[in-house]
Amino acid sequence: MNAMENSVQFVQWLRSVAPYIHAFRGQTFVIAFPGELVKAGALPVLAQDLSLLHALGIKVVIVHGSRPQVEEQLALRNMAPRFHNGLRVTDTAAMECAKEAAGELRLDIEAAFSQGLPNTPMAHSEIRVISGNFVTARPLGVIDGVDLELTGVTRKIAHEVIRPIVNAGGLVLLSPLGFSPTGEVFNLSMEDVATAAAIALRADKLIFLTETPLMSNAAGDEIRELTAAQAEALLKASELPPDVAFYLDHCVQASRRGVPRAHMVPYEIDGSPLLEIFTHDGVGTMVSYENLESLRQATIEDVGGILKLIEPHEADGTLVKRPRELIEREIDHFSVIEHDGVIFGCAALYPFPAENMAEMACLIVSPDAQTQGDGERLLKHMENRARAAGLRKLFVLTTRTAHWFLKRGFMPATVDTLPKDRQSMYNWQRKSLVFVKNL
Ligand SMILES: CC(C)(COP(=O)(O)OP(=O)(O)OC[C@H]1O[C@@H](n2cnc3c(N)ncnc32)[C@H](O)[C@@H]1OP(=O)(O)O)[C@@H](O)C(=O)NCCC(=O)NCCS
């Protein structure tokens, strides 16, 4: 690839990310990762990726795990880990190990966020990582007759203290340890702390970077998106490996308690948090309370998103120019497809009741989401809107998309078959082709 093609691609790519940057600026993401990520040497790169999110105006709270580091500390002391039903029994000696591990990890994380050499992704970043006694915990207690001792669960997150810190540009770090009003320290799970933090902070996203691979069902098919209800059904079917089920269970809890999106993203893929956040399909599994993709009539808030979809097509002549004021005025004519808060498809319907016809215009699906049937879904939706208005024919004017419409039941027609008012507006220089479909 030559330098010119390279720069064209770069510009296209950067523009394709713009809607996500607009959508996520000012939002709060809780990002949690297991101790395995640090052990695998992935911390410096993760710090670079998270500092990029921070630079884009996303408020980041991070939560680290420490399981392998605690195991290491136990091994150094010649102690065997004790578990009951997958839960660690934390006695006083194991607690010392957990504290040691958390202290070391905190320092490593602070060091990673202090990178800033020139010509690296973190040059000029100057991020301040803030941690403290933000997590209140209580003991898990006695389960099936086994006292879990200092193993606890999160009771409260000091969101009222964390919120001003992230609002002021700080990055908050939470360890899997919590404190009780009796002055004790409790050993918690990273998943529990992260979920409680996301709920308490009313975070927009909870993201688990997982050591487990992308989730798949019993047939081996990848699972990329789930509603909370589907995730619960999957958990009930007990087909998932225990580690994956544990993550998913926490995603469901977050989702059920108001976190709009919870993600499980394997950290093994380079840049996976960036890919998950800034690409349409992502690289992980996303759990949401309701259906992610919604196809609906547009509102005035969608004007910016629609303009972004249209702009490149105006520039290359596929679509006629439409100024913002026009779209604002005609917003009721538009329908949009939205995914995770980002508009990635639109179309407009202009009825001509006297002739029982309607024009569908401005049909666009963003390039990174094309060929997945969304263009067709938009068309069907517009056909239904036209039918609901009692209209019998749908027509389109197109210069470059003729075959797409032909394949979907449209027939070529001439300008004089159009409604009179539309004929008078026909642009004879543009020479668009006319296609009509009976509804
Ligand atoms: C036309 C458009 C809306 C289709 O969106 P989409 O979500 O990709 O649509 P679907 O997934 O339902 O259909 C994809 C199919 O259409 C085909 N297709 C896409 N653009 C086409 C075109 N200009 N001519 C013919 N076929 C086309 C794809 O190759 C794909 O074919 P396949 O199913 O055989 O793989 C989208 O390509 C787009 O936004 N184009 C630019 C704007 C435009 O031309 N709008 C129409 C203005 S009148």
Side-chain angles (χ1 to χ4, degrees):
M1 195 186 299
N2 64 34
M4 192 59 199
E5 281 170 2
N6 230 332
S7 60
V8 169
Q9 256 195 13
F10 172 78
V11 169
Q12 278 174 351
W13 168 83
L14 195 55
R15 285 182 183 144
S16 76
V17 176
Y20 296 96
I21 298 176
H22 288 298
F24 297 144
R25 192 204 320 265
Q27 290 196 351
T28 304
F29 291 6
V30 173
I31 301 178
F33 54 91
E36 280 83 353
L37 180 147
V38 181
K39 199 174 171 201
L43 183 56
V45 174
L46 176 68
Q48 293 175 4
D49 290 350
L50 298 190
S51 61
L52 179 59
L53 298 184
H54 178 267
L56 293 172
I58 295 168
K59 294 166 185 166
V60 180
V61 172
I62 51 182
V63 186
H64 73 82
S66 60
R67 195 172 26 179
Q69 289 78 6
V70 174
E71 304 286 300
E72 257 169 41
Q73 291 293 334
L74 286 167
L76 281 174
R77 292 167 165 86
N78 285 324
M79 287 167 57
R82 282 165 59 209
F83 288 96
H84 174 69
N85 273 349
L87 290 165
R88 187 186 292 281
V89 179
T90 313
D91 53 24
T92 323
M95 192 65 215
E96 286 309 308
C97 297
K99 285 197 230 171
E100 195 102 22
E104 213 169 292
L105 282 161
R106 177 161 72 84
L107 293 173
D108 287 345
I109 293 165
E110 287 176 2
F113 278 97
S114 307
Q115 303 172 77
L117 285 180
N119 302 325
T120 67
M122 289 191 66
H124 313 296
S125 68
E126 298 205 348
I127 293 179
R128 298 292 159 234
V129 180
I130 292 138
S131 41
N133 55 342
F134 300 142
V135 182
T136 306
R138 65 172 172 79
L140 252 179
V142 180
I143 298 181
D144 312 326
V146 178
D147 186 356
L148 296 172
E149 302 185 35
L150 294 171
T151 299
V153 280
T154 309
R155 197 160 68 84
K156 216 165 71 189
I157 301 277
H159 58 90
E160 69 290 352
V161 183
I162 296 175
R163 176 55 66 199
I165 298 174
V166 291
N167 284 353
L171 195 146
V172 169
L173 170 66
L174 303 177
S175 295
L177 294 175
F179 311 94
S180 71
T182 53
E184 283 168 300
V185 187
F186 285 94
N187 187 20
L188 314 174
S189 80
M190 165 272 281
E191 293 85 346
D192 176 43
V193 175
T195 305
I199 295 167
L201 286 160
R202 300 179 184 278
D204 299 280
K205 279 186 191 297
L206 165 63
I207 302 178
F208 287 115
L209 301 173
T210 67
E211 72 287 14
T212 52
L214 182 62
M215 201 158 73
S216 53
N217 62 17
D221 305 318
E222 291 179 349
I223 302 175
R224 309 303 301 271
E225 284 183 4
L226 287 167
T227 60
Q230 287 169 328
E232 272 175 346
L234 196 65
L235 285 169
K236 271 211 190 92
S238 316
E239 286 167 357
L240 298 169
D243 290 356
V244 177
F246 196 63
Y247 280 124
L248 187 62
D249 183 35
H250 285 83
C251 289
V252 171
Q253 289 178 36
S255 186
R256 289 272 183 235
R257 299 200 41 207
V259 179
R261 313 274 180 256
H263 304 244
M264 295 163 57
V265 188
Y267 65 71
E268 222 171 31
I269 305 163
D270 185 26
S272 58
L274 301 182
L275 288 166
E276 180 69 5
I277 294 167
F278 295 115
T279 61
H280 179 267
D281 293 327
V283 289
T285 303
M286 169 149 76
V287 179
S288 67
Y289 192 65
E290 78 303 333
N291 248 340
L292 281 172
E293 281 191 7
S294 69
L295 175 47
R296 55 172 173 82
Q297 196 162 338
T299 68
I300 199 76
E301 273 86 49
D302 300 319
V303 172
I306 294 173
L307 276 168
K308 272 204 198 70
L309 283 175
I310 298 179
E311 266 159 20
H313 298 294
E314 288 177 350
D316 74 8
T318 315
L319 294 176
V320 286
K321 214 166 166 46
R322 286 176 176 80
R324 174 182 276 271
E325 304 74 61
L326 183 79
I327 295 180
E328 280 173 1
R329 220 173 30 244
E330 297 185 342
I331 194 68
D332 290 345
H333 294 272
F334 278 82
S335 288
V336 290
I337 300 192
E338 181 193 305
H339 179 276
D340 196 13
V342 174
I343 304 290
F344 70 95
C346 69
L349 189 79
Y350 295 93
F352 292 88
E355 287 88 353
N356 263 334
M357 293 177 101
E359 174 177 8
M360 184 178 70
C362 217
L363 171 70
I364 309 171
V365 172
S366 103
D368 63 345
Q370 284 178 9
T371 70
Q372 293 175 27
D374 288 317
E376 191 145 329
R377 282 179 60 208
L378 269 165
L379 169 65
K380 293 230 163 73
H381 173 78
M382 290 325 231
E383 288 177 2
N384 286 336
R385 270 184 78 173
R387 272 192 208 101
L391 306 172
R392 311 295 300 273
K393 280 180 190 216
L394 188 67
F395 68 89
V396 292
L397 274 71
T398 180
T399 51
R400 308 211 190 151
T401 319
H403 286 201
W404 194 87
F405 290 110
L406 281 171
K407 226 176 133 182
R408 284 155 185 84
F410 283 79
M411 303 297 285
T414 51
V415 177
D416 54 20
T417 58
L418 296 178
K420 287 276 172 299
D421 288 352
R422 189 63 183 84
Q423 281 183 37
S424 60
M425 277 155 50
Y426 184 80
N427 181 337
W428 288 97
Q429 261 157 9
R430 203 171 146 77
K431 292 210 179 66
S432 301
L433 300 169
V434 179
F435 292 92
V436 182
K437 182 172 181 176
N438 291 324
L439 296 174

